[in-house]
């Protein structure tokens, strides 16, 4: 098809530019005063979804119905005013891609005849659909980021958390949230650098805090976590719990960014310190009490022994002396346990390890408990282990463990019940077991029986004597041996099985 003639008077040099139009990377066209295409290059024709020939002589309305309202208005404006329009956007669909909203940035330049009249418009169109989609996505991402930052700020404020973002290569650190407020500063008063943190960390805490941070940066720990002190504006020390995590690395694996939080834990640390101090004073009191009780108790024990040996003593008096002697032995046992708990707590106990034959240790323990069991109507059974079974233990402390387990079994087993003592190899350990058919233990109380001063059945303990420290002493002594102490029970009325595991010799 032969292109329609150019409008009269239009400079003939346009004809010489046909080759340029064909190869131009942007869409180009000439539209006359009747809004008909008189020239169009391949790029724009392809964009519109029709051939060059199909455009020539046809109007904008015929070729691009979805863009007519926008396009005609702009074209008429240039034709009427003679002023160019630059960098405006046209949005709509073309027959090339029905249903797809596309965007172009266009330039409209008036073309004049020799008399200076506007006779046509030169159109230059660049499609920017992909750029606008990317821009819209960036704006949505930025909006989501702002919303996320707002939620983070609210969370930090609600949780009274300080926020820090460390850029490791430069040391630049952003402090946000409640970080400044918890130290009594305004946000703008703090230098945005890691040195602002270093300068405020307590000198005793700085080596540990930096070592833990470096360990996380080096990949040795999944998170950075450390409690340390920071100096506030008034010069007082604030305890904080610092947590952080690496969030960015360079292509070669070097850490770029670490972000984290600070939580003011001063009140908790103060409360913990107060508890530790109270516990220390309690241990000191128990140690003092034990020593103070042992002195008069020694005198009473000797006096009762002399009294019980007097041949002239009447039977009722002799019986009373026997009862007194038995009660003094029980009292001495309680005092010894009390002192041992205090020694273990303060780390003042030493174990003398040796190879101890298990069969002999169990036999001694059973012989020592037999009289007590018979007095209470219990059946005491020893299942003798292999003579070759031995443990690495402190002989006296092993006897103390077994004595406490047997005493506990006697206390909580009704008359007519059975107490069974046994032992077996258990890998690298020897399991020493004391089972009873007694009152049993509730599932929720199985671990509490090993806590100091715990009495799950107060009526029984008060009636038969006891401070609730025997089983606690069993576990602590077992752990000092590198072993464990555990209990299982099927519940109230179903008996209990206590097992102490000690390393094999």
């Amino acid at each position: 098809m032969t292109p329609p003639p150019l409008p009269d008077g239009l400079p003939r040099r346009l004809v010489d530019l046909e080759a340029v139009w064909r190869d131009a990377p942007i869409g180009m066209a000439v539209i006359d005063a009747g809004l008909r295409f008189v020239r169009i290059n391949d790029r724009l024709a392809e964009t519109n979804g029709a051939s060059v020939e199909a455009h020539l002589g046809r109007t904008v309305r015929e070729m691009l119905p979805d863009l007519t309202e926008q396009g005609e208005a702009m074209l008429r404006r240039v034709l009427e005013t003679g002023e160019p329009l630059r960098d405006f956007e046209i949005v709509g669909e073309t027959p090339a891609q029905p249903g797809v909203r596309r965007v172009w940035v266009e330039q409209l330049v008036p073309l004049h005849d020799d008399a200076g009249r506007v006779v046509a418009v030169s159109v230059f169109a660049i499609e920017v659909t992909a750029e606008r989609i990317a821009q819209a996505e960036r704006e949505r991402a930025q909006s989501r980021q702002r919303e996320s930052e707002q939620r983070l700020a609210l969370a930090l404020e609600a949780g009274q958390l300080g926020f820090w973002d460390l850029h490791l290569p430069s040391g630049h650190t952003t402090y946000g949230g409640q970080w400044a407020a918890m130290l009594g500063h305004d946000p703008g008063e703090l230098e945005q650098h890691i040195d602002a943190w270093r300068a405020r960390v307590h000198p005793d805490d700085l080596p540990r805090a930096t070592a833990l941070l470096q360990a996380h940066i080096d990949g040795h720990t999944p998170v950075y976590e450390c409690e340390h002190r920071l100096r506030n504006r008034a010069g007082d020390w604030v305890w904080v719990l610092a947590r952080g995590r690496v969030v960015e690395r360079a292509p070669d694996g070097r850490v770029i960014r670490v972000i984290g939080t600070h939580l003011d834990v001063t009140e908790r640390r103060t409360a913990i310190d107060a508890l530790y101090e109270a516990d220390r004073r309690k241990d000191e009191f128990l140690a003092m009490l034990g020593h103070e009780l042992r002195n008069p108790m020694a005198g009473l024990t000797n006096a009762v022994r002399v009294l019980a040996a007097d041949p002239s003593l009447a039977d009722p008096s002799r019986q009373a002396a026997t009862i007194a002697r038995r009660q003094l032995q029980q009292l001495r046992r309680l005092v010894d346990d009390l002192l041992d708990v205090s020694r273990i707590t303060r780390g003042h106990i030493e174990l003398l390890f040796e190879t101890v034959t298990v069969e002999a240790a169990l036999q001694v323990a059973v012989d020592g408990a037999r009289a007590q069991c018979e007095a209470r109507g219990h059946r005491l059974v020893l299942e003798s282990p292999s003579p070759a079974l031995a443990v690495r233990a402190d002989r006296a402390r092993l006897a103390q463990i077994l004595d406490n387990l047997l005493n506990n079994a006697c206390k909580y087993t009704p008359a007519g019940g059975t107490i069974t003592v046994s032992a077996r190899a258990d890998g690298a350990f020897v399991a020493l077991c004391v089972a009873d058919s007694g009152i049993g233990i509730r599932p929720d109380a199985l671990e509490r029986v090993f806590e100091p001063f715990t009495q799950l059945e107060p009526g029984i303990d008060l009636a038969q004597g006891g401070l609730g420290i025997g089983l606690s002493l069993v576990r602590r002594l077992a752990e000092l041996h590198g072993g464990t102490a555990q209990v299982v029970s099927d519940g109230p009325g179903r008996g209990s099985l206590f097992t102490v595991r000690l390393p094999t010799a």
Side-chain angles (χ1 to χ4, degrees), residues 294 332-344 349-352 356 360-362 364-366 368-369 372 393-409 432 434 469-478 480-481 485 500 502:
R294 292 192 74 174
R332 182 180 182 85
R333 178 176 185 152
L334 293 176
V335 171
D336 288 342
D337 283 351
L338 194 63
L339 286 173
D340 284 336
V341 168
S342 175
R343 292 190 189 103
I344 293 174
I349 193 169
E350 294 184 5
L351 301 183
L352 301 176
V356 181
L362 294 186
V364 170
V366 167
Q372 180 184 9
D394 182 305
R395 187 181 299 274
R397 297 303 179 182
L398 175 57
Q400 191 175 6
I401 289 173
L402 295 171
D403 288 346
N404 278 340
L405 288 177
L406 285 167
N407 182 62
N408 181 78
L432 310 173
V434 175
I469 59 176
L471 293 179
S472 171
L473 192 58
V474 166
R475 171 165 281 184
R476 295 190 185 195
L477 287 173
L480 286 176
H481 281 79
V500 172
L502 299 181

